[in-house]
Every structure is written in structure tokens, then in C-alpha cells.
Amino acid sequence: MVMTSLKFGTSGLRGLVSELVGLPAYAHVRAFCAMLREDGAAGPEGEVLIGRDLRASSPLIAAQCAQAVADAGLVPVDCGALPTPALALAAMRRGAPAIMVTGSHIPDDRNGLKFYRAAGEIDKADEARILTWHAKLALAALPETSTDPASEEAMAAYRARYVAFFGDRALEGLTIGVYQHSSVGRDVICDVLAALGASPVPLGRSERFIPVDTEALRPEDEALARQWAGERELDAIVSTDGDADRPLVADETGRFLRGDLVGALTARFLGADAIVTPVTSNSALDRPGLFATVVRTRVGSPYVIAGMAQATAGGAGIVVGFEANGGVLLGSEVAREGRRLAALPTRDALLPILSTLALVKREARPLSAIAAEARFATALSNRLQEVPQDRTLALIERLDAQDPTFRDEAFARHGGVAARDRRDGLRLTLGSGATVHFRASGNAPELRVYVEAPTPEAAEALLAENLAFAAAQTR
């Protein structure tokens, strides 16, 4: 058996570029098309939309995906470089499936494929079927093809979606820094902010791919935000990850808000009566009276999508899903002042960015004050890179069941372990009331560590302690 880094994780197929480019990308797309044909789920005229991010490897992989679509007897539609949610919206509007070539936030030597049916992102059952078809297909050739660009149509619809709902004066008077780096959404964010009356200030544009991870920010990104906030009078600084489906929002001081807080503010602005969010999101979300319904899931957009369907079936009117990494999914239509915003059940960065800024405008208060009012516990997260998943799982098993003495000794200075949650990785509630959560990343060989504590200082110390602990145990 040939070992490969390619696998389905929390959102799509990802792995090393060297193991994806060529026949592997082609074969997985042929398998996706075979599943669509089996279900009679190809789009009008057999269309399959294809988009990509700004990684160096993405144009070639997108061309190989297009060839696979054509060889499957379907019609590839080249949407060019655009945000993942813009591609998903275009696919839903055309009633067609789609493929996004992106590695999101992971380094440039890796890439991936995200698959969409006409109704939205594929689920875990679809992933299993793609792998089954992949195993059935005998493929050995990779011919060349060409496609017709349809990028501007998709981008225009994405812009229009938010300008029509928020209104052309929604952000009037706000000055917003836009950290552009190598995000595929860097220009459309500025366009939409300007259309809504704000003054966008482009910052930090890069022609080299920068792997900005909204869940584990690089120190240099945090330093840049503080520097820009100190040099300019900005009401906020916004950005996204590489494929623009996860937001970054910093307040007027340059301090970044966690993604789950941004998601909660978005849900509040939209008037959600139900939120769906993974176990890694802040425990403050479960506070009585904040939202009528809170559904907790495993980490990953397919699980959040399933949870949104559960909330809708339970009678919820406005359902908003979000993750600690910032991605926000709209599970139902929102109507306000004669304007309607259609559901978009895929991670999107622009909706939470605009919703958070609209709160600043509506309440005429600094974002830092609005964020503080939410009274979230101080929550931090980071990662250990190049940690094989089996080592992470071995640590989790030892902490959970195999060795109670080891677990108790490891957290003795924090009052031991009061409770354990195995819905995704291992989340430990300590005797002190703080929490520590270990899980293997679904997208890369990384061990993720999440903590909550009463103060920023305590959270920073707890995170550093447990990163060091996990590193020692997984060597």
C-alpha cells in the first residue's frame, strides 16, 4: 500500500502538493463526478464550477480538475480565483456542483480540494462515496484541456448579495484596515466595504502566499495589526484566510477577536434564535438567555451543517453556525427591513466581517467595548506542527482512559480533572474551572491545543504549559 498525506479532514481533501498534483487530483475529481452521475446531481447542461485560491500550485491543479470533469462527460466552468463562499453561492444560484482548489490556511507546499453539490458542501457520507469510487476507477492518463472563465459573474453575485442586504450606507463613516496578504478575497472585501459607505485602507498585500491561520495567528500578524492601529485611526482591521471562508477581525487597538466571538456577534446582529458551533467554541455561549438554542458539534463544517439541519428541524427560525476558527455558515434565510439574505450553508468570511462592523456602526461604540460586553472567558489556542495524528491520538487515549494516575498527576496543580468530553479529541474541565482541549487537526499533521481561563495571563500560562506538555509527550 502506498502511503500518502491526502485525506478528507474538517473541510475537504488536503495534502502535500507533490502528492495531489497530477493524477491524484484528477482521479478524486473523476470519483466526485461519478458520484454526481450516479445521483443524477450534475448541474444544468452538466456544468461543474471550478474555482481556486492564490497558491502557486492552484492553477495547475484547477486545470487538472477541469480535465477530469470533461473526461467524465460533464462541462467544466472556470470561475478563476475567487473566495470559496463566492464559488459556493454561484453554484447554488446555477443549481450546479462545484470544486474549489484551496489549502485554506495551511502552508504553500500543501493544497486541497473542496467539493460542493448544488445545495452546498458535501457531507461525510459523500466523502466516503468519493473514496469508494476512487478505489473503483482505473485511471492512468492525464490529458490537457481548457475552460471558459466565469469568474466575474460569480464575483458580481457575491458582491451584490451583501450590498443588497446591508444597504449602501450601512458602514458610512467607518475607516477599516484590510490586511490583504495573499487572500483570494482581498479585493472583493475592499469593494464591498466601499460600496457600503466605509473607507477601506488596504494593508500588507503580498504576491507570495502567506499561510494565515485564523485559529493560530502568527506573532508577526498580531504585531502588524497593533502597528497599523497605532499608526492610523482605524475602527477595525479585517482579513481572511487564504480562500476567504474564515474571517479575521481586530478591534480599533489592533487586538484580534476570536472567531467564536465574531460568530456570536454575527448571530446577534442577524437575530439568530439558534446557533450551532463545535465543542471548541467558548463556554460562554452556553450562558442562559444568550441564544434560545445552542447545538454543540464536532469540529468541521460538515458537522456544523448537520447540526444546522437539526436546529431547523427542531423549529428554529434563524440558524447561524460558526466555528472557533471564525467560519460562519448561514443556515436559513434572514429578512430585515424589506431585504432578504438567502441561506448560504458554507463557511463565509464576508458575512461575519460585515455583521460585526454593522454592530459598530449601529451602536456607535468601539468594537473593543462591544467585544468586552460579551463577557467571554479568555480562550486561546495554538498548534504543534509536524505531529503525526497517531501520536496525538495516543496522548489523548492515555489522558482519557488508559492511565488515570498519569492524568491526575499532569493536572494536579490545577485541581486535577473534574470532567472529560470526547466528542472531538479530549476536552478536560479542570478542578480550577479552567479547560484544556487536545485534538488532532483534520487538515494537517498538527496537534491543536485550546484553553479557557479566567484571565488573559492565566490563559497564556495554561496554553504555554500544555503546548510544552504535549510536545514532550508526542516526541
Side-chain angles (χ1 to χ4, degrees):
M1 173 182 259
V2 177
M3 298 300 292
T4 175
S5 65
L6 297 179
K7 68 170 188 170
F8 281 101
T10 53
S11 183
L13 180 80
R14 292 185 187 168
L16 292 167
V17 168
S18 60
E19 296 179 355
L20 177 63
V21 71
L23 189 59
Y26 176 89
H28 280 91
V29 172
R30 282 293 300 270
F32 174 59
C33 292
M35 181 186 75
L36 295 176
R37 280 191 168 281
E38 184 176 53
D39 294 347
E45 312 298 328
E47 293 178 341
V48 178
L49 278 58
I50 301 172
R52 58 182 170 83
D53 66 12
L54 298 180
R55 292 166 187 268
S57 60
S58 290
L60 175 58
I61 295 172
Q64 292 162 351
C65 292
Q67 181 60 59
V69 171
D71 288 351
L74 301 176
V75 180
V77 178
D78 182 6
C79 293
L82 78 173
T84 295
L87 179 71
L89 177 64
M92 292 174 65
R93 289 167 62 92
R94 293 172 76 139
I99 303 163
M100 180 71 181
V101 180
T102 179
S104 187
H105 61 280
I106 58 180
D108 200 29
D109 66 341
R110 297 173 182 269
N111 212 327
L113 304 173
K114 291 184 178 180
F115 297 101
Y116 291 82
R117 289 179 177 271
E121 187 174 343
I122 65 170
D123 59 22
K124 289 298 178 181
D126 288 334
E127 291 176 0
R129 290 180 61 198
I130 290 171
L131 293 176
T132 299
W133 271 108
H134 182 271
K136 289 180 182 178
L137 296 173
L139 302 171
L142 184 61
E144 295 182 0
T145 192
S146 61
T147 56
D148 297 320
S151 180
E152 187 49 43
E153 179 186 343
M155 291 295 282
Y158 189 54
R159 293 187 195 98
R161 167 181 172 84
Y162 291 116
V163 174
F165 178 72
F166 282 88
D168 58 9
R169 300 182 63 183
L171 305 180
E172 188 174 44
L174 298 183
T175 301
I176 309 300
V178 181
Y179 177 24
Q180 295 193 305
H181 62 92
S182 54
S183 167
V184 73
R186 58 193 180 185
D187 293 325
V188 71
I189 291 174
C190 289
D191 291 348
V192 173
L193 289 175
L196 297 181
S199 299
V201 180
L203 301 165
R205 190 181 183 95
S206 173
E207 299 310 314
R208 175 180 61 85
F209 186 81
I210 299 174
V212 172
D213 185 347
T214 60
E215 198 171 23
L217 281 171
R218 304 177 309 155
E220 52 265 49
D221 293 326
E222 296 181 297
L224 280 172
R226 291 192 297 270
Q227 175 187 327
W228 291 327
E231 293 173 348
R232 305 164 184 263
E233 291 188 8
L234 301 173
D235 294 291
I237 298 171
V238 300
S239 187
T240 76
D241 62 345
D243 66 326
D245 70 343
R246 287 160 38 174
L248 274 175
V249 179
D251 64 20
E252 73 283 359
T253 71
R255 179 177 177 270
F256 283 106
L257 280 58
R258 271 180 54 96
D260 47 6
L261 176 53
V262 173
L265 294 177
T266 303
R268 172 181 150 194
F269 175 77
L270 296 174
D273 53 354
I275 63 168
V276 182
T277 194
V279 293
T280 50
S281 291
N282 203 285
S283 57
L285 294 167
D286 298 305
R287 188 184 304 134
L290 195 58
F291 296 102
T293 301
V294 179
V295 178
R296 292 282 188 167
T297 73
R298 294 179 60 186
V299 174
S301 50
Y303 300 111
V304 175
I305 291 169
M308 291 195 301
Q310 173 188 334
T312 300
I318 298 178
V319 182
V320 174
F322 57 87
E323 301 172 278
N325 61 26
V328 172
L329 306 88
L330 184 58
S332 52
E333 181 182 79
V334 178
R336 174 172 293 174
E337 299 176 356
R339 302 184 178 115
R340 294 186 177 274
L341 186 65
L344 185 59
T346 191
R347 289 192 303 206
D348 183 17
L350 198 47
L351 176 60
I353 285 172
L354 299 178
S355 297
T356 303
L357 296 178
L359 278 177
V360 173
K361 171 66 176 178
R362 186 176 74 187
E363 299 186 8
R365 291 192 298 154
L367 181 53
S368 59
I370 294 172
E373 188 178 70
R375 294 188 292 120
F376 268 38
T378 301
L380 300 174
S381 64
N382 211 322
R383 58 187 172 169
L384 296 175
Q385 296 178 290
E386 302 307 324
V387 177
Q389 190 174 74
D390 59 346
R391 294 188 186 178
T392 299
L393 296 178
L395 171 61
I396 287 171
E397 289 302 323
R398 190 177 182 195
L399 283 170
D400 185 37
Q402 292 180 0
D403 195 343
T405 301
F406 170 71
R407 179 177 64 242
D408 292 340
E409 290 178 351
F411 298 99
R413 65 193 299 261
H414 299 285
V417 175
R420 308 194 302 279
D421 186 329
R422 281 300 302 268
R423 274 179 288 189
D424 195 346
L426 178 62
R427 188 174 190 268
L428 303 172
T429 300
L430 307 182
S432 64
T435 65
V436 179
H437 187 170
F438 301 99
R439 60 177 290 272
S441 170
N443 301 317
E446 297 175 349
L447 190 163
R448 299 273 180 168
V449 181
Y450 312 80
V451 301
E452 285 188 20
T455 66
E457 295 77 15
E460 288 172 5
L462 190 62
L463 180 61
E465 176 186 331
N466 282 281
L467 284 169
F469 168 74
Q473 297 297 323
T474 55
R475 285 191 187 124

